[in-house]
Amino acid sequence: MIITIVGGGSTFTAGIVKSIALRREELEVTEIRLFDIDKERQDKVAVLVDWILHEDLKCDIKLVATTDEETAYKDASFVFAQMRVGKYAMREQDEKISLRHGCVGQETCGCGGMAYGMRTIFPMVKVIDDAEKYAKPDYWILNYSNPASIVAEACRVLRPNARIINICDMPIAIIDVVAAAMNIKDKKQIVYDYFGLNHFGWFTSIQYQGKDMMPALRQYIKEHQILLPDAYLKDKAALGVAPQKESGTEGNRHTRGSWYYVWKGEYEIMENFPEMLPNTYLNYYLQQKEFVEHSDPNHTRANEVMETREKNLFDGIDKYLATGEIDEKVFYAGSHGDWIADLAIALKNDTKARFLVITENRGCLPNMPYDAMVEVPAYIGKDGPEVITQKPIPLFQQGLMMQQLNCEKLLVQGCIEGSYEKVLQAFTLNKTVPSMKVAKEVLDDMIVANKGYWPELH
Ligand code: NAD
Ligand code: G6P
Ligand code: MN
């Protein structure tokens, strides 16, 4: 059983491989292949992956790192995709260009997310075509590549029969934080209901051993004026300041810099709308003005990530090559890798386990369009997600979702047709953009910055 990881040079590869290897019996995995277009970056990550598989866990899974599509995909059963088209350099542009125009500069939200989406649509279609050509006929692509919402819509339109499931780890990360805040030891016993678009959704219930946790959670958030566990909040001086260049702070990184504001925002949103727990990414849409005000246009999340997650990883690999010593804190192993590996187990072994996935609505949310790509709970078996039908969603959330959905659909159409007007409509419709004039100014700068990545618009 072969698993191919596309974006082998990613900062998340090592963690994902560890999760796969820890589940090697259920997955019956015999070979892991890394595929990337950046050989040098991937080869470094492969050093760490080799250590995890063959030194740390001492398993006999074969490892291949390649930049050749046929070698990568041949007879693969699963393709885990996690590419960042344009890498951090372009993410930095996305965030900074937006902020220069007074708009939210964020990886997947607002103008930054739309720019990233337009870079990723066609490379993602290529992943599907390569899988169709070389992989096993019943392959599954499990896709983390962002912006997952736009990618999901583009794949639905361009490759409707592809065996792809788009996923996100943010709701899981939120559940991890909720569990820590509520002192819940066994996260597996938490059951939640959720609806939305990707990075644009709400938890409607969170239960632990059958008990409704929402009242206690509301109380906790109100008291702490933030949604983060006590353990993270001890170092008061660090709250909200730029992240430090130290290793092993993936959790605490969220108390620093731009992440702090979105966890703080959970409190701010819940003060006004206490019924549901919002996804952290809703902060960029509901507090867009405030986000721009506390952002540093010369030092954005892309810089924070390059100075911490990326630097720690590659410094750690260099140190290993020089000294033979590995500090496991240089890579993150946890929910992110566990989520995708567990999803593969559910598909392979037809377990019907419950997962949150991004999938075509088909009536699940009755007052959203049939063909909307929504993020909802589903039971996962060998034929894919069986979605659980929900009640109609309230007008506030539905209105926000329709605006975002139509924005993403226009962007995808504009990208496919090469239509400047449709892409400008998408930028104008996005809730983070204050006016048509600003939308046009950002778009025109983005076109210049994305030359070679975006389709030509006319
Ligand atoms: P990274 O830059 O460290 O790694 C991405 C890798 O993708 C790079 O090695 C790059 O060379 C490679 N790549 C770029 N274009 C490619 C292409 N066309 N084909 C193959 N490989 C290509 O980025 P990262 O921070 O580790 O994140 C990786 C991806 O995972 C990003 O898209 C990120 O947004 C996404 N992500 C998603 C979730 C989620 O919830 N869906 C969670 C975490 C990360
Ligand atoms: C969460 C989201 C991902 C996103 C990641 C970015 O995990 O679910 O979609 O890519 O955060 O984190 P960063 O620190 O790179 O902004
Ligand atoms: Mn996500």
Side-chain angles (χ1 to χ4, degrees):
M1 206 287 269
I2 298 163
I3 300 180
T4 301
I5 300 183
V6 175
S10 156
T11 57
F12 293 100
T13 298
I16 289 177
V17 168
K18 182 142 191 176
S19 297
I20 294 171
L22 289 172
R23 291 159 178 74
R24 55 192 177 276
E25 278 170 23
E26 283 155 292
L27 283 168
E28 297 177 287
V29 54
T30 52
E31 186 171 340
I32 293 176
R33 300 198 191 132
L34 309 184
F35 172 79
D36 204 296
I37 53 172
D38 182 339
K39 182 178 186 312
E40 201 188 333
R41 186 181 176 95
Q42 174 167 272
D43 283 349
K44 283 228 159 152
V45 170
V47 169
L48 179 56
V49 169
D50 186 47
W51 177 84
I52 292 168
L53 289 176
H54 304 130
E55 302 286 326
D56 182 23
L57 298 177
K58 305 210 175 345
C59 39
D60 55 7
I61 299 173
K62 183 179 170 196
L63 174 65
V64 173
T66 180
T67 54
D68 174 68
E69 284 83 356
E70 185 170 358
T71 312
Y73 290 89
K74 187 85 191 143
D75 294 331
S77 294
F78 286 96
V79 175
F80 292 3
Q82 41 157 0
M83 349 171 245
R84 183 181 293 288
V85 179
K87 296 193 276 191
Y88 288 115
M90 287 307 295
R91 174 175 178 178
E92 186 179 10
Q93 290 296 310
D94 294 342
E95 294 174 349
K96 291 186 175 173
I97 291 170
S98 307
L99 279 168
R100 228 188 285 138
H101 291 281
C103 299
V104 168
Q106 214 286 322
E107 180 195 29
T108 66
C109 301
C111 300
M114 289 186 279
Y116 188 16
M118 288 184 61
R119 289 198 297 276
T120 311
I121 288 174
F122 293 106
M124 200 61 221
V125 167
K126 182 170 185 317
V127 172
I128 294 174
D129 291 348
D130 287 339
E132 286 280 338
K133 188 166 171 193
Y134 299 117
K136 288 252 168 82
D138 61 349
Y139 75 84
W140 279 106
I141 299 170
L142 307 186
N143 180 53
Y144 265 139
S145 311
N146 266 321
S149 221
I150 293 167
V151 166
E153 168 63 7
C155 295
R156 183 191 70 81
V157 173
L158 292 170
R159 295 292 182 273
N161 299 320
R163 295 170 64 85
I164 180 168
I165 302 177
N166 294 282
I167 52 171
C168 172
D169 68 1
M170 194 68 237
I172 316 316
I174 294 172
I175 290 294
D176 282 354
V177 164
V178 167
M182 301 278 98
N183 285 316
I184 292 173
K185 298 278 171 291
D186 186 3
K187 287 185 303 192
K188 289 218 160 92
Q189 297 210 36
I190 296 179
V191 180
Y192 52 83
D193 287 310
Y194 184 97
F195 72 86
L197 311 172
N198 179 235
H199 288 188
F200 206 100
W202 292 262
F203 291 90
T204 51
S205 89
I206 301 177
Q207 295 191 1
Y208 175 60
Q209 293 179 332
K211 183 171 174 247
D212 179 8
M213 297 307 292
M214 285 301 275
L217 182 62
R218 286 189 196 102
Q219 182 70 22
Y220 181 96
I221 294 172
K222 203 174 189 60
E223 258 169 38
H224 290 73
Q225 301 194 359
I226 193 166
L227 171 55
L228 279 178
D230 279 326
Y232 287 16
L233 299 171
K234 283 191 193 120
D235 185 3
K236 295 251 178 315
L239 299 180
V241 296
Q244 291 164 7
K245 295 167 194 166
E246 60 193 296
S247 61
T249 55
E250 185 57 28
N252 293 337
R253 197 166 76 83
H254 285 206
T255 66
R256 305 230 162 91
S258 54
W259 268 109
Y260 168 78
Y261 289 97
V262 295
W263 292 109
K264 185 87 186 151
E266 297 294 275
Y267 159 71
E268 289 154 354
I269 297 173
M270 294 278 277
E271 277 295 279
N272 291 317
F273 309 121
E275 195 183 328
M276 302 175 191
L277 177 67
N279 190 303
T280 43
Y281 281 88
L282 280 164
N283 275 283
Y284 300 107
Y285 299 93
L286 299 178
Q287 311 215 74
Q288 65 276 64
K289 178 169 168 285
E290 294 75 15
F291 180 80
V292 170
E293 283 163 8
H294 60 62
S295 292
D296 177 352
N298 298 312
H299 195 269
T300 61
R301 175 80 64 78
N303 300 106
E304 294 174 4
V305 173
M306 286 187 274
E307 289 162 9
T308 55
R309 187 169 74 232
E310 187 187 40
K311 184 174 188 304
N312 293 338
L313 174 70
F314 288 99
D315 284 357
I317 295 168
D318 286 344
K319 187 177 160 211
Y320 172 66
L321 288 170
T323 67
E325 280 168 43
I326 283 255
D327 174 1
E328 282 209 48
K329 289 206 219 84
V330 302
F331 70 95
Y332 171 71
S335 298
H336 175 83
D338 293 347
W339 183 246
I340 194 166
D342 285 339
L343 181 60
I345 290 175
L347 288 160
K348 180 178 173 297
N349 298 343
D350 199 26
T351 66
K352 305 282 177 5
R354 192 174 154 135
F355 284 82
L356 209 56
V357 292
I358 303 162
T359 186
E360 190 170 5
N361 183 30
R362 298 182 190 166
C364 162
L365 303 176
N367 54 344
M368 287 296 290
Y370 187 88
D371 67 356
M373 293 304 284
V374 295
E375 190 165 331
V376 288
Y379 296 107
I380 305 294
K382 64 178 178 10
D383 299 320
E386 286 174 31
V387 169
I388 303 157
T389 305
Q390 301 197 20
K391 289 188 300 204
I393 55 182
L395 285 184
F396 176 62
Q397 286 78 7
Q398 195 242 12
L400 288 166
M401 279 168 66
M402 280 307 303
Q403 180 178 17
Q404 179 66 11
L405 176 71
N406 286 2
C407 162
E408 290 171 356
K409 281 181 172 286
L410 279 165
L411 187 90
V412 168
Q413 286 177 14
C415 202
I416 294 169
E417 295 164 20
S419 162
Y420 180 90
E421 188 176 332
K422 280 197 174 168
V423 173
L424 179 57
Q425 286 178 341
F427 273 62
T428 307
L429 189 54
N430 197 279
K431 193 175 183 315
T432 63
V433 178
S435 79
M436 180 181 66
K437 180 163 176 276
V438 174
K440 190 169 167 54
E441 287 167 1
V442 184
L443 175 57
D444 288 346
D445 279 4
M446 290 288 194
I447 289 174
V448 176
N450 281 281
K451 202 164 168 45
Y453 285 111
W454 279 13
E456 295 270 334
L457 301 179
H458 33 76

